[in-house]
Amino acid sequence: MENFEKRIKRVLITKEEIDSAIQKVGKEISDFYDGRPILLVSILKGAFVFMADLCRAITAPCEIGFMAAKSYYSGTESAGVVKITMDLDQDISKYHVIIVEDIIDTGRTLKDIVKMLKARNPLSLKVVTLLDKPSRRVVDFKADVSLFTIPDHFVIGYGLDCGEYYRNLPYIAEYDTDIK
Ligand code: IMP
Ligand code: MG
């Protein structure tokens, strides 16, 4: 890919900052649920790195599940369509469900997913997001826990992509949309 490095404009959140925020939330979750059955539901692909680190910061027993949703097709603009491309294989009615998401932008993806999962009667349902861009919201949606609030920049790294690249960066960076 041409200009691969150059498009990483600047680091917004370092690996150390992410790690320490995750340790704190992991402890809060472990204390709050206090041994009750937890199912962490990660929304692929973007949340896979966050899920891997968050589940290891939780000391209480927990299970994991995956769903896949697509709303951005290959660029930096939302297509405005949310499609579930892979569903959970668990019956969630026996669990306290925690949705683990990478970023809330317009809010459409999570609003739809929350509605869908609530209809399956989990014991409870909460949303934990690594990043939140509240200034971009087009539907009313608020996460229960948000680790970092960021301005309206397109970001990459730590699971988040641009055209499927950059998910493997260990930090969150601003993507340079001016470089063609
Ligand atoms: P929403 O439905 O607009 O809230 O979109 C959420 C999804 O869009 C996220 O789960 C990401 O996959 C993607 N997304 C939103 N903003 C960004 C960004 O800045 N970088 C990479 N992906 C993003
Ligand atoms: Mg996502």
Side-chain angles (χ1 to χ4, degrees):
M1 191 205 197
E2 227 183 307
N3 291 322
F4 181 83
E5 294 278 343
K6 268 200 217 155
R7 292 178 209 212
I8 306 171
K9 198 170 176 182
R10 66 190 173 103
V11 177
L12 272 187
I13 309 168
T14 65
K15 182 179 184 299
E16 290 70 27
E17 288 168 327
I18 297 170
D19 286 347
S20 94
I22 290 179
Q23 289 309 316
K24 185 167 163 275
V25 173
K27 186 171 184 325
E28 283 166 7
I29 291 174
S30 311
D31 293 346
F32 180 83
Y33 290 94
D34 192 30
R36 288 176 287 164
I38 304 173
L39 177 66
L40 299 175
V41 174
S42 165
I43 314 297
L44 295 173
K45 299 175 191 169
F48 83 106
V49 180
F50 180 38
M51 172 71 143
D53 284 343
L54 181 64
C55 74
R56 286 177 291 174
I58 295 173
T59 51
C62 69
E63 294 181 40
I64 60 168
F66 295 96
M67 284 178 88
K70 255 196 152 86
S71 59
Y72 274 63
Y73 290 101
S74 61
T76 58
E77 283 302 311
S78 171
V81 185
V82 178
K83 206 174 138 218
I84 304 296
T85 53
M86 188 185 100
D87 205 345
L88 289 168
D89 52 20
Q90 288 97 337
D91 166 9
I92 67 170
S93 66
K94 296 172 183 67
Y95 295 96
H96 292 275
V97 171
I98 305 173
I99 298 179
V100 178
E101 178 61 311
D102 53 352
I103 187 164
I104 307 178
D105 186 38
T106 65
R108 286 190 185 106
T109 309
L110 276 191
K111 196 165 183 155
D112 279 12
I113 290 176
V114 163
K115 192 172 154 204
M116 193 172 139
L117 294 188
K118 274 193 175 156
R120 300 181 193 175
N121 298 313
L123 296 174
S124 68
L125 183 91
K126 284 196 190 291
V127 174
V128 176
T129 186
L130 177 69
L131 305 171
D132 191 1
K133 284 200 266 192
S135 61
R136 292 259 310 166
R137 221 53 116 246
V138 300
V139 296
D140 184 29
F141 188 84
K142 224 174 162 295
D144 297 285
V145 179
S146 160
L147 278 64
F148 300 95
T149 298
I150 60 166
D152 180 13
H153 296 316
F154 194 82
V155 293
I156 49 172
Y158 199 77
L160 290 108
D161 73 309
C162 184
E164 295 298 328
Y165 286 108
Y166 303 103
R167 295 192 195 273
N168 54 329
L169 295 177
Y171 47 78
I172 301 284
E174 188 181 334
Y175 180 77
D176 199 332
T177 45
D178 296 331
I179 299 176
K180 296 297 165 207

